[in-house]
Amino acid sequence: MGANHDDHHQAADPHGRALRLGIGGPVGSGKTALTAALCRTLGQTLRLGVVTNDIYTTEDADFLRRAGVLDPERIAAVQTGCCPHTAIRDDIAANLDAVETLEERFGPLDLVIVESGGDNLTATFSRGLADRQIFVLDVSGGDKVPRKGGPGVTTADLLVINKTDLAPMVGADLTVMSRDAAAVRDGKPVLFTSVREEPGAHAVATWVGGLVESWAGDRGHEHDHDRVRS
């Protein structure tokens, strides 16, 4: 099956449900750390749920639970038994079940984050699962990675280039990465961050918060910050 095949899933009905945000990217790029950062920063004002994907383990969910960034029961783990990007793009049933279970148990929610397991540059979320997608790269792969493109890099709603603190150690030129990312993304946003140095990832959290506000507005009601549940 080719990397650019059509998504055969219809987008889920947005009425009365949370925004679903997919976070994907290569192994080790910092997807789980970014998910934790978003929970830390946004969890004070938004009602959150998280779904993680691993092939045979619950490692990412366990990391988030140990970090204490969210009520452990609001973190669901999907064991895909196959390539994680297959479970977020082709056979999305297990992830949809997990998302819907969280909304049934803890709803109404404002945001559900679906974190994929380690993917490659071609991995994208089905629009039947995720309303918006963040793709995470890190500088340790070298400054040539953004210009290689791939659907994950070029089509994600936001590209995050993480671990900027490592750039001097690996000889990565952030200016080159910024230029090349802009060239392949046709005006879509790119943010640089180091979750290690800034555990709140505030620039990314601000972008996500804007999405949630727009989502609530599109559904015809105001987001109520006073109804946050722990």
Side-chain angles (χ1 to χ4, degrees):
M1 184 175 289
N4 295 311
H5 68 282
D6 292 334
D7 182 3
H8 61 276
H9 301 98
Q10 292 185 343
D13 183 356
H15 180 70
R17 65 166 175 82
L19 174 72
R20 298 170 183 175
L21 175 68
I23 298 182
V27 173
S29 58
K31 299 180 297 298
T32 308
L34 179 62
T35 299
L38 294 176
C39 289
R40 287 189 194 97
T41 302
L42 298 174
Q44 302 303 310
T45 55
L46 299 181
R47 299 162 295 192
L48 303 178
V50 174
V51 177
T52 67
N53 282 256
D54 283 298
I55 298 178
Y56 297 120
T57 71
T58 59
E59 183 174 338
D60 290 345
D62 294 340
F63 172 87
L64 294 171
R65 291 167 181 148
R66 287 195 303 271
V69 296
L70 203 61
D71 177 353
E73 293 188 358
R74 289 173 176 257
I75 302 169
V78 171
Q79 292 174 277
T80 65
C82 61
C83 292
H85 60 263
T86 299
I88 62 166
R89 186 183 66 193
D90 302 319
D91 183 4
I92 62 175
N95 277 279
L96 278 178
D97 286 346
V99 169
E100 290 170 0
T101 296
L102 285 174
E103 292 210 80
E104 287 171 4
R105 292 185 62 193
F106 300 105
L109 297 177
D110 301 304
L111 174 66
V112 178
I113 298 172
V114 181
E115 182 210 342
S116 181
D119 301 322
N120 50 44
L121 301 183
T122 68
T124 57
F125 281 78
S126 166
R127 290 297 178 178
L129 174 61
D131 303 300
R132 301 290 185 272
Q133 176 181 355
I134 295 175
F135 199 79
V136 186
L137 296 177
D138 74 282
V139 303
S140 62
D143 54 25
K144 65 182 179 297
V145 175
R147 69 174 172 265
K148 290 187 174 183
V153 173
T154 61
T155 67
D157 298 282
L158 174 67
L159 177 65
V160 172
I161 298 177
N162 188 30
K163 304 186 183 180
T164 54
D165 54 301
L166 297 181
M169 293 172 240
V170 299
D173 187 328
L174 298 181
T175 301
V176 168
M177 298 186 84
S178 178
R179 179 199 67 201
D180 292 347
V184 300
R185 284 185 51 75
D186 194 28
K188 292 185 286 293
V190 180
L191 291 175
F192 286 77
T193 191
S194 169
V195 175
R196 179 178 181 181
E197 292 187 331
E198 189 193 0
H202 292 288
V204 182
T206 297
W207 184 86
V208 174
L211 286 184
V212 174
E213 293 290 349
S214 295
W215 183 261
D218 288 345
R219 292 186 302 164
H221 61 81
E222 293 295 326
H223 168 64
D224 184 353
H225 294 278
D226 296 328
R227 292 188 298 154
V228 174
R229 302 173 187 173
S230 61

